[in-house]
Amino acid sequence: MRTRTMSRLLSAVAMVFGGAVVLGGLTAPVAGADTDPGQSDSGRSLVVMGDSNTANATLATMQAQPTGVACTHLPTSWPTQLAQRMGLSRNNDVEDVSCVGAYMWRHGEDHYWTALTEARQAAADGAFGPRTKAVLLQFGLNDAWGADHGAQGALVPCMLNVLHGCSTDDAASDGNPPTLLTGQDYVDHLRDIVTYIRYYAPNARIVLVGYQELHTPGDQAVCMGVLGVPVTIPRAGAITDVFDSLREAPRAAAARLGVEYFDTAAVTAGHGLCSPEPWLNGVFTPGPDFLGQPGHPTLQGDTAVSQALQQFLSTPR
């Protein structure tokens, strides 16, 4: 058993540390790869990894990023609010490496932001250590649509196609069928990262964070507000099927990996895009979320998630 554990650890170290961290065209040596986690009081209390639902940048930020990847974060994003609620912001005791456009995993790793890219960056910053209390990961939405389209590039045109809609059959005929992720997909692509975190941050709770409620489970319709005017797409199975899978797959993976799952959809239930009070942005929603990314959390949504996560993490396992 010990040999198998050590083999898995060495595999995880090799996966996370490819000799150097390559991020944004810069190459930096990785520190701490040979550090015994029991010999130093290192690490940051909270580490967050994820995609656009995590970072939640604005449309203006995205337009300034020709690559489609932005690692800036809204000051109201749920990780930022969570760090403030936990009292970690004032002494920089949080590491948020989430990026808009990040994937859980992609072929051609060096050309995409992925969970592995973010893990390498956090490791290079010395974020993983005995002091680390929680590592939160939110991935999968971009993987469901692929590198050629990305989540927003696939979802928004679908939602705005009022006459035709976007059923699963329609998406397939257009050459853009979604990939319904499974728990095994998450296990395959996050296992080595989890193994690495578990070794170098032995006191940390590792949590797979799900996505917010987009639609009522079982319903094939989605909505999207355009300048505050609600538009309903009755045939949108290509979207609803993806979000259904993104609720079940990480939950199943968490059980297999021996980590925790946070059900964001349960926290945001009743506030999907078709609800009277959506906690997701439409297209140019009047008010403080005017430049918010369509289909991404509003200020209210991020606040609700940060509150629930604070309570979740303060409750003993």
Side-chain angles (χ1 to χ4, degrees):
M1 181 64 71
R2 179 174 296 179
T3 300
R4 185 180 304 133
T5 301
M6 183 58 66
S7 176
R8 173 57 65 184
L9 174 62
L10 293 175
S11 173
V13 171
M15 174 71 76
V16 175
F17 295 105
V21 173
V22 180
L23 192 63
L26 301 176
T27 302
V30 177
D34 298 321
T35 301
D36 185 333
Q39 294 182 351
S40 64
D41 187 20
S42 60
R44 293 181 183 170
S45 290
L46 176 65
V47 181
V48 181
M49 302 161 57
D51 55 25
S52 57
N53 274 264
T54 319
N56 207 7
T58 65
L59 289 174
T61 302
M62 288 304 301
Q63 291 173 353
Q65 300 288 330
T67 61
V69 176
C71 297
T72 55
H73 312 116
L74 280 183
T76 56
S77 69
W78 67 254
T80 303
Q81 291 194 57
L82 177 61
Q84 293 168 349
R85 293 178 185 281
M86 295 175 68
L88 304 177
S89 300
R90 67 178 69 96
N91 56 357
N92 195 31
D93 199 16
V94 58
E95 175 89 349
D96 182 0
V97 289
S98 61
C99 295
V100 177
Y103 293 85
M104 180 167 59
W105 173 85
R106 294 300 304 173
H107 282 297
E109 160 68 26
D110 292 342
H111 300 290
Y112 299 101
W113 260 249
T114 66
L116 179 57
T117 308
E118 294 181 10
R120 287 174 174 169
Q121 182 62 46
D125 293 342
F128 300 124
R131 291 186 62 255
T132 307
K133 298 177 181 177
V135 181
L136 312 180
L137 302 93
Q138 186 179 49
F139 291 99
L141 182 55
N142 288 320
D143 300 77
W145 292 97
D148 293 336
H149 298 274
Q152 191 156 289
L155 299 181
V156 174
C158 175
M159 288 180 172
L160 298 181
N161 191 348
V162 181
L163 295 178
H164 190 235
C166 55
S167 68
T168 303
D169 291 340
D170 295 329
S173 64
D174 290 341
N176 187 30
T179 300
L180 302 184
L181 298 179
T182 66
Q184 191 60 47
D185 291 326
Y186 276 81
V187 170
D188 290 344
H189 302 312
L190 296 181
R191 181 195 290 114
D192 286 336
I193 294 173
V194 167
T195 299
Y196 178 86
I197 295 170
R198 197 171 264 139
Y199 184 79
Y200 284 100
N203 302 314
R205 295 173 65 172
I206 305 173
V207 183
L208 300 189
V209 178
Y211 289 94
Q212 66 279 1
E213 179 179 283
L214 179 95
H215 68 104
T216 303
D219 194 348
Q220 294 291 296
V222 296
C223 306
M224 175 66 74
V226 181
L227 291 173
V229 178
V231 177
T232 300
I233 311 298
R235 297 173 60 251
I239 294 177
T240 59
D241 288 350
V242 166
F243 272 82
D244 285 343
S245 72
L246 289 175
R247 184 169 188 175
E248 296 307 318
R251 185 200 306 275
R256 297 180 193 178
L257 291 168
V259 301
E260 298 178 81
Y261 174 67
F262 179 79
D263 192 351
T264 307
V267 173
T268 59
H271 294 281
L273 285 170
C274 289
S275 69
E277 187 184 3
W279 285 351
L280 296 167
N281 294 314
V283 179
F284 299 125
T285 302
D289 297 299
F290 184 74
L291 290 179
Q293 295 184 82
H296 289 68
T298 63
L299 169 59
Q300 287 176 296
D302 273 333
T303 298
V305 171
S306 68
Q307 289 175 334
L309 269 168
Q310 180 191 26
Q311 182 177 3
F312 179 87
L313 293 175
S314 64
T315 304
R317 283 177 280 191

